[in-house]
Amino acid sequence: MAKYIFITGGVVSSLGKGIASASIGKLLEARGFKITIIKCDPYINVDPGTMNPFQHGEVYVTNDGAETDLDLGHYERFTNAVIGRDNNITTGKIYNSVINKERRGEYLGKTVQVVPHITDEIKNNIAKVAQGTDIDIVLVEIGGTVGDIESLPFLEAIRQFGLKLGRDNAMFIHLTLIPFIRSAGEIKTKPTQHSVGKLREIGIQPDMLLCRSEIPLAAEVKEKIAMFCNVEPQTVIEALDVKTVYEVPLCLMKQKLDDLIMKRLRLKAKKHDMKDWQKNVIERVKNPQNSVKVAVVGKYITLQDAYKSIYEALIHGGIANDARVEIQRVDSEDITKDGAEHYLREVNGILVPGGFGNRGIEGKIEAIRYARENNIPYFGICLGMQTAIIEFSRNACGMKNANSTEFNTKTPYPVISLLEEQKTIKEKGGTMRLGAYQCRLKKHTLSLTAYKNPKISERHRHRYEFNNKYRGIMEKNGLIFAGINPQRDLAEIVELKNHPWFVACQFHPEFKSKPDKAHPLFAAFVEAALRYQAKNS
């Protein structure tokens, strides 16, 4: 039977429960256990697929086509866990399921209530990921902050779940904040005491505290926290700020967090081995041999989490090339106002990520034109491929006013358009081309050089596709269709002849990149940027 670790958060949001959960998972894998991680989100949306990135950050897509919380990206980057739609549970998903069951008469005329029906549905969803598997440990992260009304059903569910499993099979870890009052030169433990008190009021006694703090916690502070929160002093763990999030597992390991979990859950395991992670990830991030500047040109630049996986994958590409990638965030609307050269003349590579809607499109197109005409390495992702095709159509193929029907339904050259099956779809949530699809790579292409395998599978999230009607004229003018979906003959990757490195893909490679295994296209892009820098320095 799998053992469960429940991770809650208190005091304020955005403390890093996702990173903490992923880091604990990494340590447990290093001890030889097979793990998986669940994220419970208290919002009423069924999934984040229809949310504005400014509201929620990026939408992370799993292999099985689920649109999920960005924390699932942390789980996959840090660990080898296979993450899918069952690993993200939302209030909307739970209530949707319960209401559908009630409509079908499955509750036999009973009054449907939060307890037991909602909490039972949550427990069933939590249990499902380990059923019929060889998973040893399930980590369950509860989104939101203790004390929030919307989190209460999840907290009650894990209280019941932990009670049923028994003390040796379940434990609770609480992530909290120890604020440092700079003007007084003091740290304050009262917010943590209140947060743990709230948990204990509903019947959950944490077994361990992860304390976010600007400064190290003195022994007497840990003892004070332990006394008022009813935990042992050695289970009060510092979670200090670090230079890179990939350092967090090592910081927790130094404080014997994994040993404490072993003891608490009565687990026996081999000694941990994090030497490769230290050498091949941390050392390269902290002490790289090279440095290169890459511009990310998007429309959600002001929000760090909107392109979270893109930024992380660029870091991974840097690790693979022993280089620090300095990311220059450029708002595409600024390019529309001031011109591409103003923002891009000093960069060594240009990346245009995915997105939706007309805002900022012309700025992206100008950035792509600047990259194409100046032989700067270019990497387009999803909308970054579609805008590259629009730019090429207009400026290299003579198709003035070429566009996507997403932005102009009356364009004379609809080089990007909806698939036929998308034209009748009315609902927005979960109806795009989602998840993993096959792609076959063409010989003698940059893409095949990067992947070293002609058959690949990548994750998608989009409605619009390249219009094959224009493939002939594009090829005639120097566009290479380097990757094709064999089932539907859809363009997946395009490249440019006579350009040092110009690759644009319809899928999202950033979702399959890890710090110790950079995605081939990101590694190749950073390598190309380094070559450009060396040639032009």
Side-chain angles (χ1 to χ4, degrees):
M1 184 176 73
K3 294 179 185 279
Y4 283 77
I5 300 173
F6 299 100
I7 299 157
T8 57
V11 184
V12 295
S13 60
S14 300
L15 282 181
K17 289 193 301 295
I19 297 292
S21 302
S23 298
I24 294 168
K26 179 70 181 174
L27 291 178
L28 293 173
E29 279 191 341
R31 302 295 292 255
F33 295 104
K34 186 171 183 181
I35 66 106
T36 192
I37 315 179
I38 300 171
K39 174 69 184 290
C40 295
D41 275 309
Y43 49 71
I44 298 174
N45 305 65
V46 172
D47 60 47
T50 57
M51 290 188 195
N52 189 310
F54 284 121
Q55 283 272 318
H56 185 264
E58 78 169 6
V59 174
Y60 186 81
V61 179
T62 57
N63 245 28
D64 60 0
E67 295 174 289
T68 69
D69 184 79
L70 62 83
D71 278 329
L72 275 74
H74 296 313
Y75 306 161
E76 285 205 324
R77 283 189 285 273
F78 277 71
T79 74
N80 296 312
V82 178
I83 301 294
R85 65 178 65 253
D86 291 339
N87 293 76
N88 198 189
I89 303 169
T90 68
T91 294
K93 188 176 179 180
I94 296 298
Y95 272 83
N96 193 45
S97 177
V98 169
I99 290 168
N100 286 335
K101 287 179 180 178
E102 185 274 330
R103 292 289 83 189
R104 292 194 298 267
E106 292 185 24
Y107 296 116
L108 303 176
K110 292 179 182 177
T111 302
V112 179
Q113 297 176 292
V114 173
V115 181
H117 301 100
I118 296 298
T119 50
D120 281 354
E121 188 71 17
I122 294 169
K123 289 187 289 182
N124 291 339
N125 275 260
I126 289 172
K128 184 164 52 173
V129 296
Q131 288 171 350
T133 71
D134 57 350
I135 289 169
D136 301 305
I137 303 169
V138 180
L139 291 93
V140 183
E141 177 194 343
I142 307 298
T145 308
V146 171
D148 294 345
I149 292 172
E150 56 263 34
S151 295
L152 283 173
F154 288 99
L155 294 171
E156 173 59 17
I158 64 172
R159 181 195 70 80
Q160 294 177 18
F161 200 92
L163 194 65
K164 183 178 179 180
L165 287 171
R167 181 167 172 78
D168 291 348
N169 297 312
M171 72 176 290
F172 295 88
I173 298 176
H174 189 55
L175 180 66
T176 182
L177 177 68
I178 307 293
F180 175 61
I181 311 301
R182 199 168 294 279
S183 59
E186 295 179 357
I187 59 174
K188 296 295 181 182
T189 64
K190 191 66 72 177
T192 291
Q193 294 175 41
H194 284 306
S195 181
V196 172
K198 252 326 188 192
L199 262 183
R200 294 173 68 191
E201 278 179 20
I202 60 174
I204 295 174
Q205 168 61 55
D207 300 289
M208 183 183 294
L209 301 178
L210 294 184
C211 301
R212 287 298 305 271
S213 175
E214 285 184 52
I215 60 173
L217 302 179
E220 59 268 25
V221 173
K222 289 186 177 182
E223 288 170 6
K224 179 181 178 182
I225 293 169
M227 181 178 68
F228 284 106
C229 296
N230 198 34
V231 298
E232 297 177 7
Q234 65 268 28
T235 63
V236 178
I237 307 292
E238 289 176 352
L240 299 171
D241 293 342
V242 288
K243 189 172 182 180
T244 168
V245 293
Y246 302 120
E247 212 173 347
V248 174
L250 297 176
C251 293
L252 298 180
M253 186 183 75
K254 286 176 185 175
Q255 298 177 75
K256 302 188 183 303
L257 177 139
D258 47 335
D259 289 332
L260 292 167
I261 290 174
M262 300 294 105
K263 181 181 177 183
R264 171 65 181 75
L265 293 177
R266 298 182 184 275
L267 292 164
K268 292 181 180 179
K270 65 181 181 183
K271 202 159 180 65
H272 51 69
D273 182 9
M274 295 287 288
K275 290 177 183 177
D276 286 346
W277 188 262
Q278 172 71 47
K279 179 183 176 183
N280 299 327
V281 177
I282 306 305
E283 289 302 323
R284 286 194 167 202
V285 170
K286 295 175 79 171
N287 303 298
Q289 294 296 308
N290 306 291
S291 180
V292 69
K293 185 179 286 188
V294 168
V296 174
V297 181
K299 59 193 284 188
Y300 309 117
I301 289 298
T302 54
L303 184 69
Q304 169 72 16
D305 284 346
Y307 302 118
K308 188 66 179 176
S309 291
I310 294 282
Y311 297 148
E312 293 303 313
L314 283 170
I315 292 170
H316 305 163
I319 292 170
N321 288 280
D322 201 7
R324 176 179 291 110
V325 178
E326 297 177 22
I327 300 171
Q328 181 174 317
R329 297 167 175 83
V330 180
D331 192 314
S332 57
E333 289 188 290
D334 290 339
I335 289 180
T336 306
K337 289 184 292 185
D338 305 320
E341 186 175 6
H342 183 75
Y343 296 97
L344 304 175
R345 61 176 175 265
E346 295 182 358
V347 302
N348 309 120
I350 297 170
L351 186 152
V352 173
F356 298 91
N358 193 43
R359 184 174 65 83
I361 289 299
E362 293 303 321
K364 292 182 179 182
I365 291 170
E366 277 305 305
I368 295 163
R369 181 174 185 172
Y370 187 80
R372 181 176 62 84
E373 293 180 346
N374 291 279
N375 286 326
I376 301 170
Y378 173 74
F379 192 9
I381 294 174
C382 196
L383 185 60
M385 173 179 135
Q386 296 177 4
T387 45
I389 286 170
I390 294 168
E391 188 282 324
F392 190 76
S393 303
R394 292 179 184 178
N395 301 314
C397 300
M399 290 187 275
K400 189 179 178 184
N401 298 322
N403 215 326
S404 166
T405 55
E406 180 181 5
F407 313 130
N408 180 4
T409 56
K410 297 180 180 179
T411 173
Y413 303 104
V415 293
I416 306 295
S417 60
L418 272 178
L419 288 172
E420 283 301 316
E421 66 264 26
Q422 286 286 331
K423 292 179 181 178
T424 58
I425 291 173
K426 302 297 182 186
E427 293 189 1
K428 298 293 185 186
T431 56
M432 288 185 272
R433 187 179 172 208
L434 291 164
Y437 287 85
Q438 299 298 312
C439 175
R440 189 165 292 150
L441 302 180
K442 193 174 182 179
K443 290 181 179 178
H444 313 300
T445 57
L446 295 168
S447 301
L448 184 56
T449 301
Y451 279 101
K452 298 180 177 63
N453 187 343
K455 294 180 181 180
I456 61 170
S457 172
E458 293 285 2
R459 302 177 193 179
H460 290 247
R461 183 179 184 252
H462 57 97
R463 296 185 190 280
Y464 292 79
E465 302 274 356
F466 172 72
N467 188 341
N468 278 332
K469 174 183 173 182
Y470 297 95
R471 190 180 290 186
I473 189 172
M474 298 280 186
E475 288 179 323
K476 184 179 176 182
N477 284 278
L479 196 69
I480 302 165
F481 290 84
I484 299 292
N485 172 261
Q487 286 78 33
R488 307 279 302 274
D489 193 35
L490 298 171
E492 298 279 35
I493 309 175
V494 296
E495 299 178 7
L496 272 184
K497 282 183 183 176
N498 306 318
H499 191 287
W501 206 91
F502 191 106
V503 176
C505 54
Q506 184 58 76
F507 49 80
H508 287 268
E510 69 271 24
F511 294 147
K512 294 181 74 172
S513 189
K514 294 175 183 282
D516 51 354
K517 191 178 181 182
H519 188 281
L521 290 182
F522 277 91
F525 174 56
V526 173
E527 183 183 10
L530 285 163
R531 284 199 305 270
Y532 176 86
Q533 181 188 54
K535 183 179 177 181
N536 293 276
S537 59

